[in-house]
Amino acid sequence: MEIIQKSSFGRHYSLTFVKSFLIWSFTLTVCLLVVGFPLIVLMTTVGALGSVILQSVLPVSAVLLVAGSLIGANLLAILLAAAMLTLKGVHPQEVSWLRWLHGDAKPSHSSVYASCPLTCNVV
């Protein structure tokens, strides 16, 4: 009986760990794409210049090398940050600025339409 309880606890903990890691990976990817757009433009510019410079040294694979290294560095940074947040025990539900992630929308104002006084009370 005790072995069954220990294995179910371990399985639950590992599923929670994996779920937290995947949610953090998704959240950080979305934040990089949406909020980090100027950073993406800067990385694209540096990548294009790096490809032009490397074209004289590696004529066949300069673009592939630069693009692969930029994409790999971004993926590695996202996965390392997600792993670090998961290992520290920070759950996405505890972060205040992630209300959009778990559906707790609190609008700052409610919409009022001009036709509402005429049609809102009609059943």
Side-chain angles (χ1 to χ4, degrees):
M1 186 70 163
E2 193 172 308
I3 295 172
I4 293 172
Q5 290 175 349
K6 285 183 182 178
S7 66
S8 67
F9 177 72
R11 185 176 302 149
H12 176 69
Y13 181 72
S14 64
L15 286 176
T16 304
F17 184 78
V18 169
K19 180 182 171 186
S20 179
F21 176 76
L22 291 175
I23 290 174
W24 274 121
S25 298
F26 170 74
T27 304
L28 292 174
T29 302
V30 168
C31 288
L32 176 68
L33 292 175
V34 174
V35 179
F37 185 73
L39 181 65
I40 292 174
V41 170
L42 182 65
M43 286 187 302
T44 305
T45 305
V46 170
L49 291 174
S51 294
V52 169
I53 292 170
L54 277 178
Q55 189 66 33
S56 63
V57 179
L58 303 168
V60 176
S61 61
V63 174
L64 182 65
L65 179 70
V66 171
S69 64
L70 283 175
I71 291 171
N74 283 325
L75 286 175
L76 185 66
I78 288 171
L79 293 178
L80 284 176
M84 183 184 68
L85 287 168
T86 303
L87 288 175
K88 282 188 170 186
V90 179
H91 297 287
Q93 292 83 9
E94 298 172 357
V95 181
S96 64
W97 54 271
L98 289 178
R99 283 189 309 261
W100 59 271
L101 188 61
H102 40 296
D104 297 337
K106 294 181 182 176
S108 60
H109 59 80
S110 60
S111 299
V112 177
Y113 300 104
S115 63
C116 192
L118 300 174
T119 59
C120 288
N121 294 329
V122 176
V123 178

